[in-house]
């Protein structure tokens, strides 16, 4: 078995290889009296996926759907991510890479993550409830990472799965085409407002017990965004272009290489610049060049 099981009330977390660190992820198994449901069938489920009657996907990224091919049952995702889950080409395009790199990414999705087109997938909306018989799973839309990114509140267990609001030291990721910094921050606030017994993440931080501990970890996670703001403001003591800021890097450490780095940095920079300009902290001193006020 490529995953280990951890029990939280009636919820079973299928902890992925390497504690769910990318390219792996954690999945969730929920059994009711009438149906069984799987959330985010990851790469670790490819070799041995538990049976289920329905599958929910938190968002259309490869590490959360690599095991989906084992399930010929109803599959649901938020409408914001529906196109990307129905089409591997659309999923690859959402990373916003140059054409040659997009083609390479699509091949990687196919060969490494077993992603195939799933035109049968249907969409859900915030607040949708899946009744499994004595146990319910309610959709909590948490956009920002992707436009459709969603969590799931499992009752009566009090288990909130928050997906890729993953509490890692890397911090929030909002660098894809459909990402949004403002939405991500709103989603973190929404998570904080939901008093759960357990909070399950999609990756290596696993399950956090209690609202107080979760809130403390969420504080540290959200602080990464403020650190990026501070890094940007300190760099803009002299006028800089978006390209110069992207090269300076807000997201990735200098040793990280790859075709994804520049597009992600650029999209991240533009979102931070937009917010800091609206707050009156940054101004455009000449066309395409920005500095602190």
């Amino acid at each position: 078995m490529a995953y280990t099981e951890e029990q939280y009330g009636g919820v079973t977390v299928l902890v992925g290889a390497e504690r769910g660190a990318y390219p792996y992820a954690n999945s969730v198994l929920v059994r009711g009296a009438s149906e069984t449901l799987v959330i985010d069938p990851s790469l670790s489920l490819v070799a041995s996926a538990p049976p289920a009657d329905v599958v929910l996907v938190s968002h259309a990224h490869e590490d959360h759907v690599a095991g989906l091919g084992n399930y010929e049952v109803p599959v649901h995702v938020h409408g914001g991510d529906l196109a990307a889950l129905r089409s591997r080409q659309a999923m690859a395009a959402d990373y916003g890479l140059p054409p040659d790199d997009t083609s390479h990414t699509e091949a990687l999705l196919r060969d490494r993550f077993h992603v195939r087109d799933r035109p049968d997938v249907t969409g859900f909306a915030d607040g949708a409830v899946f009744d499994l018989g004595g146990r319910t799973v309610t959709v909590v839309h948490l956009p920002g990472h992707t436009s459709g990114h969603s969590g799931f509140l499992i009752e009566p267990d009090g288990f909130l799965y928050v997906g890729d609001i993953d509490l890692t030291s890397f911090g929030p990721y909002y660098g894809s085409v459909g990402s949004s910094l403002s939405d991500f921050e709103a989603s973190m606030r929404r998570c904080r407002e939901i008093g759960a017994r357990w909070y399950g993440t999609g990756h290596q931080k696993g399950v956090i017990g209690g609202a107080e501990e979760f809130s403390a970890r969420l504080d540290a996670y959200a602080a990464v965004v403020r650190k990026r703001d501070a890094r940007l403001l300190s760099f803009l003591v002299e006028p800089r272009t978006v390209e110069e800021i992207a090269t300076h890097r807000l997201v990735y450490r200098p040793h990280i290489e790859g075709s994804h780095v520049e597009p992600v940095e650029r999209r991240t920079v533009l979102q931070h610049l937009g917010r800091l300009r609206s707050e009156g902290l940054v101004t455009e001193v000449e066309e395409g060049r920005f500095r602190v006020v």
Side-chain angles (χ1 to χ4, degrees):
M1 184 178 293
Y3 57 83
T4 58
E5 297 186 4
E6 294 182 357
Q7 202 68 29
Y8 299 89
V11 177
T12 306
V13 176
L14 311 178
V15 182
E18 301 178 14
R19 295 296 300 174
Y22 186 90
Y24 303 102
N26 301 324
S27 304
V28 178
L29 179 67
V30 188
R31 293 187 177 93
S34 56
E35 288 189 309
T36 297
L37 178 150
V38 164
I39 299 171
D40 284 1
S42 70
L43 194 61
S44 293
L45 271 61
V46 169
S48 90
D53 302 294
V54 62
V55 174
L56 303 184
V57 175
S58 66
H59 64 292
H61 279 170
E62 68 280 359
D63 49 326
H64 293 259
V65 301
L68 190 56
N70 291 318
Y71 293 101
E72 298 301 329
V73 299
V75 178
H76 309 278
V77 70
H78 188 276
D81 279 19
L82 191 56
L85 196 55
R86 285 179 171 174
S87 163
R88 184 175 62 225
Q89 185 178 34
M91 185 184 292
D94 189 57
Y95 286 103
L97 304 176
D100 288 347
D101 295 314
T102 297
S103 296
H104 174 75
T105 297
E106 187 178 353
L108 181 69
L109 297 180
R110 179 193 65 218
D111 300 336
R112 179 72 174 92
F113 292 93
H114 314 281
V115 176
R116 60 182 175 88
D117 293 352
R118 287 296 299 250
D120 58 304
V121 174
T122 58
F124 54 58
D126 183 48
V129 178
F130 295 84
D131 190 341
L132 308 179
R135 186 163 277 111
T136 60
V137 181
T138 302
V139 174
V140 182
H141 187 208
L142 300 171
H145 184 62
T146 68
S147 61
H149 182 272
S150 297
F152 304 100
L153 180 62
I154 303 163
E155 296 287 15
D157 308 279
F159 188 104
L160 178 63
Y161 177 72
V162 296
D164 271 4
I165 301 179
D166 59 16
L167 307 180
T168 60
S169 59
F170 180 84
Y173 175 92
Y174 37 89
S176 296
V177 173
S179 299
S180 165
L181 168 56
S182 60
D183 284 351
F184 207 124
E185 292 189 311
S187 293
M188 289 190 286
R189 291 192 295 270
R190 187 177 187 189
C191 285
R192 196 186 302 276
E193 294 167 356
I194 300 174
R197 183 179 181 187
W198 293 294
Y199 299 80
T201 69
H203 291 287
Q204 60 264 47
K205 294 302 179 181
V207 177
I208 311 303
E212 184 176 352
E213 178 63 21
F214 176 75
S215 183
R217 297 199 185 202
L218 193 59
D219 284 344
Y221 185 67
V224 175
V225 177
R226 294 191 294 275
K227 290 176 183 176
R228 291 171 184 162
D229 278 338
R231 180 170 171 79
L232 176 55
L233 289 169
S234 67
F235 190 59
L236 292 182
V237 293
E238 299 292 339
R240 312 282 188 179
T241 65
V242 170
E243 289 71 22
E244 288 172 329
I245 303 167
T247 301
H248 186 61
R249 297 198 180 187
L250 299 182
V251 180
Y252 295 108
R253 294 179 180 178
H255 69 279
I256 301 298
E257 298 179 352
S259 60
H260 65 292
V261 171
E262 192 280 333
V264 169
E265 292 286 351
R266 182 180 178 86
R267 283 189 289 270
T268 301
V269 165
L270 289 171
Q271 292 186 77
H272 279 265
L273 277 176
R275 185 174 67 178
L276 293 172
R277 291 180 72 190
S278 71
E279 295 173 353
L281 298 174
V282 168
T283 186
E284 188 172 12
V285 292
E286 56 187 88
E287 187 173 359
R289 296 178 70 85
F290 304 88
R291 67 167 296 159
V292 293
V293 174

